[in-house]
Amino acid sequence: MKVSKRWLLEFIDSAQSAEALAEGFTLAGLECEVEAAAPDRLLEQVVVGRIVAAAPHPDADRLQVCEVDVGEERPRTIVCGAANARPGLGTAVALPGARLPNGLHVQAQAVRGVESSGMLSSAQELGLAETSSGILELDAEAPVGTPLAEWLDLDDDILVFELTPDRGDALSVIGLAREAVALGLGQWRDGAEVPSANAAHPDGDAGGSARPVAIDAPELCPRYMGRCIEGAHAREPSPDWLRERLRRSGVRSVSLVVDITNLVMLETGQPLHAFDDSRLQGTVRVRQAQPGESIRLLNDQSYTLVHGELVIVDDTGPVALAGVMGGQHAEMRLDSQTIFLESACFLPPAVAGTGRRHKLHSDAVHRFERGVDPAAVPRALERATQLILAMAGGVVKGTSNAGSRPVARAAIVLRRSRLTALLGIAIDDTRITRILSDLGFVVDAVDAGWSVQAPSWRFDISREVDLIEEVARVVGFDAIGAEGYAAHVAMQPVAEARLSDQGLRGQLVARGFQEVVSYSFVEQALDAALNPDAARIPVDNPIAAPFNCMRSTLWSSLLPIVRYNVDRQCRRYRLFELARRYSAEPGVHPTVREEVMLAGAMWGSAYAEHWAQPDRMVDFFDLKGELQSLIPGLEVSADAHPALHPGRSGQVTLAAHGAIGWMGQIHPSLAEQWDVPQSLLVFELAAEPLQQRRLPHAPHVPEYPASRRDLSLEVPEDVPAQALVDTALRRGPEMLRNCFVFDVYQGAGLKNGCKAIALGLIFQDFSRTLTDELIDEAAQSVVGALHDEWGARIRG
């Protein structure tokens, strides 16, 4: 929100500088900065001129030789290349010696053989606009020779506000004037409130030849007013003061009637819309759209309405998207002579969803979705009527009104004891009453404090604590001293059997992994390639083209990071991320499912470069070992995943939780398509099971020694070594304490399709020393079990 200080001072008397005003607003919660209305250099040697004559340049097709009156005895000859330079045009003339904001030093010089003593300047060259299509056009009555800064009142400051969403009441000059008065930054000027226009029906009752209006959705639009103005000259240009006031507010000038509606919106906070009344038919209605209805808006785009959006319709169909944008069907044009002026109160739910759904944002949407004062509806209509009659002419033919005037807000009890307890200071009752009254509240004293009724423009006030905040910010947070107090803080218990997020991260970092933090938005094509069966959630308004989808797997975020680092010659790397992934839950009302996952990637050498360590690339078993070191009891079963190498992937399981994720080498086709290393290893596991850990306990120290027996077994090639270990531990005798693989052999001396696996068996009993006979018998029972389940036999 930008407001000219001069405009603000039309409503209040204040001797405060712009910087003091900005500081006062900021300390009260309305963040404000100050910027100049025009560059300093523009205040000198740039004057109002008028082109007396214009002729083609004798030696250049696109140049004109203009005779320009700047208030001197004789017109100046100035060469100009602007297409809009024409006799009778008032414009800005930079005299020789002027230095423009863009750094240009204007001098008298010959242009293609014709002496030019000055420069006809555009708004862009003068620093008054970012772009412009020709030289600046001024009012016909602009006095020649007058400094431009004086004519446009450029010796001004602009207050730039960064308002929080709850302060929609401050999105107007009048709203900010109210704040300034309440904060002691100024006093109301006499008659500062908008005066009634010289209109036929200032109260908004139907009369004359008014077009009838009706509201079919009163829960979304409590009030709608329309006014017909006939004989207005919409072709008239907007005067300099109006265009300049809009410029300082950051609004582009369009045409006279549209500029007037924008001016009134900025002044009162009430958005307006002007229709060409001759293009409307029958009754103007406010209703919800019927499924499948469509409308072509002023941005030349067509929209299909399927969610019951609030629309303005006539007897032929939709003519505007209520509170968002008008339609082309009844658009005001330069040849329009009859205006239907709309002023309405559309409630936030009626506008906010529509604007977001169709990706439409306007100054009207910005205000309606925050809440607009219902009482401003007739006042804004009167103000706009007043300006149209004054600048475009015409007569009011009638006014229509549908809906009711705003209902008084329910009173809120403000307790004196509660206010003192929250702020920690005692404030005089008279001061509290004055503060709330200055802010527009209706205040009545009661036994415990005050009964307070919020004004119609304060949508953010609904609770006692809101009133206390109002008092605190006007008194000044700096006036509330800090006091020590005894805080009763109880530490929340932490389950010892649960590993915290930070603890999980710490374990990975200790094993040489580095944490990354990435966006939840990813490229949809990449996410679909990595997780083709997921129900993805598209991003409605992505921050950038590649971020058009919510990730259904963390691999979609990790692969671009891998590629980025490989491109920068990171040849050995281990990374992880603990974050959420998202998917859509199907159903009548689809919901979003969020899961916290732990994902990571490894590539490059298995070990850091060292003269005594042979170099090799990381493989599937390196990653498996890392995960098993991190998560005791983790198992990996060979299984296929569409994003992983068909022979080097596995599903990760935990006995108490079942399948919790996947690990393996990236699929070769994906590695080639997305430009990542072929040897890239990745994993993605549900975080919750990983954070449930077994508490350590001290085992009984055995009194009797352990014994070891080694078995060299010949088994089919497709039998996993882990399967042999699991069978031995499951079917072996109670005295078998451990079983592990210490050698695997494939080659000469074995049958075709077979491999040799050597198992180490550890036997121990807590009550006696085991004899060789007992150990041999136990070892044979293990061999028998392995033979029954896997066809294993002792190598000869």
Side-chain angles (χ1 to χ4, degrees), residues 518-531 536-539 542-561 577 580-582 674:
S518 62
Y519 284 120
S520 296
F521 312 124
V522 296
E523 187 174 352
Q524 186 167 352
L526 174 58
D527 194 79
L530 292 170
N531 195 10
R536 263 165 291 282
I537 303 170
V539 177
I543 58 176
F547 302 124
N548 57 357
C549 171
M550 299 293 288
R551 63 188 174 199
S552 66
T553 169
L554 267 61
W555 292 342
S556 303
S557 298
L558 293 182
L559 257 64
I561 296 173
E577 181 170 17
R580 286 177 170 82
R581 69 179 185 185
Y582 307 86
W674 298 101

Side-chain angles (χ1 to χ4, degrees), residues 453-688:
Q453 183 178 316
S456 57
W457 60 82
R458 289 303 297 271
F459 283 78
D460 58 317
I461 304 297
S462 60
R463 301 174 299 168
E464 180 185 31
V465 70
D466 298 328
L467 297 174
I468 296 174
E469 181 185 7
E470 292 298 297
V471 173
R473 69 185 188 85
V474 175
V475 168
F477 294 110
D478 54 339
I480 301 174
E483 294 184 7
Y485 65 95
H488 301 283
V489 180
M491 294 186 66
Q492 296 298 316
V494 178
E496 190 178 0
R498 178 174 177 80
L499 184 65
S500 67
D501 290 355
Q502 197 60 30
L504 188 58
R505 291 186 176 102
Q507 289 191 8
L508 283 156
V509 170
R511 298 199 64 80
F513 284 79
Q514 296 189 31
E515 184 178 10
V516 297
V517 179
S518 62
Y519 284 120
S520 296
F521 312 124
V522 296
E523 187 174 352
Q524 186 167 352
L526 174 58
D527 194 79
L530 292 170
N531 195 10
D533 297 330
R536 263 165 291 282
I537 303 170
V539 177
D540 192 40
N541 190 21
I543 58 176
F547 302 124
N548 57 357
C549 171
M550 299 293 288
R551 63 188 174 199
S552 66
T553 169
L554 267 61
W555 292 342
S556 303
S557 298
L558 293 182
L559 257 64
I561 296 173
V562 170
R563 182 173 57 206
Y564 181 89
N565 283 277
V566 169
D567 290 345
R568 282 151 185 79
Q569 300 183 359
C570 292
R571 302 306 179 196
R572 180 181 183 272
Y573 208 51
R574 300 180 177 199
L575 57 85
F576 77 93
E577 181 170 17
L578 181 64
R580 286 177 170 82
R581 69 179 185 185
Y582 307 86
S583 60
E585 288 284 347
V588 179
H589 300 290
T591 58
V592 175
R593 181 185 179 192
E594 298 184 23
E595 296 176 277
V596 180
M597 307 296 290
L598 175 67
M602 297 170 56
W603 74 91
S605 299
Y607 310 105
E609 187 174 354
H610 190 269
W611 62 270
Q613 180 71 49
D615 189 25
R616 66 172 181 85
M617 301 299 288
V618 291
D619 58 23
F620 180 90
F621 298 102
D622 289 312
L623 177 57
K624 180 182 177 183
E626 291 289 349
L627 295 181
Q628 289 181 325
S629 298
L630 177 69
I631 310 154
L634 179 145
E635 299 293 343
V636 180
S637 58
D639 207 344
H641 186 285
L644 301 177
H645 192 293
R648 300 169 189 170
S649 65
Q651 192 168 41
V652 180
T653 60
L654 277 175
H657 303 278
I660 64 169
W662 291 86
M663 61 158 285
Q665 184 175 326
I666 198 73
H667 198 287
S669 62
L670 286 176
E672 182 178 357
Q673 180 182 357
W674 298 101
D675 197 21
V676 294
Q678 294 278 347
S679 60
L680 177 65
L681 298 163
V682 294
F683 67 90
E684 184 177 39
L685 309 174
E688 179 62 27

Side-chain angles (χ1 to χ4, degrees), residues 150-486:
E150 180 181 327
W151 170 246
L152 296 180
D153 281 334
L154 294 178
D155 187 13
D156 188 14
D157 292 299
I158 299 174
L159 302 175
V160 183
F161 290 87
E162 292 289 340
L163 300 174
T164 52
D166 61 323
R167 292 306 305 273
D169 64 291
L171 288 169
S172 67
V173 181
I174 290 177
L176 292 170
R178 289 193 194 103
E179 282 291 309
V181 171
L183 297 174
L185 301 175
Q187 298 294 325
W188 280 108
R189 284 182 179 271
D190 293 336
E193 289 291 334
V194 179
S196 296
N198 184 21
H201 303 281
D203 293 330
D205 297 322
S209 57
R211 180 173 296 281
V213 298
I215 299 174
D216 296 340
E219 71 281 2
L220 297 176
C221 175
R223 191 171 192 190
Y224 187 94
M225 295 184 68
R227 175 165 290 164
C228 290
I229 302 175
E230 191 175 78
H233 302 287
R235 192 181 296 275
E236 291 293 322
S238 297
D240 290 343
W241 71 266
L242 174 53
R243 286 186 282 116
E244 184 60 23
R245 187 158 285 185
L246 292 178
R247 180 191 72 82
R248 296 181 205 181
S249 300
V251 177
R252 179 177 60 91
S253 175
V254 179
S255 64
L256 178 59
V257 175
V258 174
D259 288 353
I260 288 173
T261 60
N262 283 333
L263 180 82
V264 173
M265 176 188 68
L266 293 169
E267 186 174 85
T268 66
Q270 171 65 50
L272 303 170
H273 187 69
F275 297 93
D276 184 337
D277 188 69
S278 66
R279 296 173 179 270
L280 297 174
Q281 297 184 27
T283 301
V284 172
R285 292 183 175 276
V286 184
R287 65 165 170 82
Q288 289 183 278
Q290 299 169 1
E293 278 190 317
S294 63
I295 183 172
R296 194 168 190 84
L297 299 181
L298 294 176
N299 62 1
D300 202 28
Q301 299 291 322
S302 292
Y303 297 86
T304 300
L305 311 176
V306 295
H307 293 87
E309 292 91 339
L310 197 66
V311 291
I312 311 300
V313 302
D314 66 0
D315 289 353
T316 64
V319 295
L321 204 52
V324 179
M325 190 177 293
Q328 285 190 354
H329 173 70
E331 174 187 5
M332 277 295 299
R333 306 184 185 187
L334 293 180
D335 58 355
S336 300
Q337 294 190 355
T338 306
I339 302 169
F340 180 77
L341 194 60
E342 168 196 276
S343 182
C345 178
F346 303 120
L347 298 182
V351 177
T354 301
R356 289 178 175 86
R357 189 177 304 117
H358 297 294
K359 301 182 180 67
L360 294 170
H361 188 79
S362 61
D363 289 322
V365 172
H366 191 71
R367 286 163 172 79
F368 278 126
E369 68 182 2
R370 285 159 173 76
V372 169
D373 180 10
V377 171
R379 183 173 59 198
L381 189 65
E382 300 304 335
R383 176 60 167 158
T385 302
Q386 177 191 53
L387 293 172
I388 290 174
L389 297 182
M391 288 184 274
V395 293
V396 174
K397 300 300 292 182
T399 304
S400 303
N401 179 28
S404 60
R405 290 170 174 78
V407 179
R409 304 275 293 277
I412 303 170
V413 174
L414 173 60
R415 295 167 292 174
R416 185 181 294 102
S417 59
R418 183 62 175 159
L419 186 145
T420 303
L422 278 185
L423 299 187
I425 60 173
I427 303 175
D428 184 69
D429 287 4
T430 304
R431 188 179 184 190
I432 293 172
T433 302
R434 186 176 69 253
I435 288 173
L436 295 174
S437 299
D438 287 345
L439 288 169
F441 295 85
V442 178
V443 185
D444 294 314
V446 294
D447 291 341
W450 301 266
S451 175
V452 183
Q453 183 178 316
S456 57
W457 60 82
R458 289 303 297 271
F459 283 78
D460 58 317
I461 304 297
S462 60
R463 301 174 299 168
E464 180 185 31
V465 70
D466 298 328
L467 297 174
I468 296 174
E469 181 185 7
E470 292 298 297
V471 173
R473 69 185 188 85
V474 175
V475 168
F477 294 110
D478 54 339
I480 301 174
E483 294 184 7
Y485 65 95

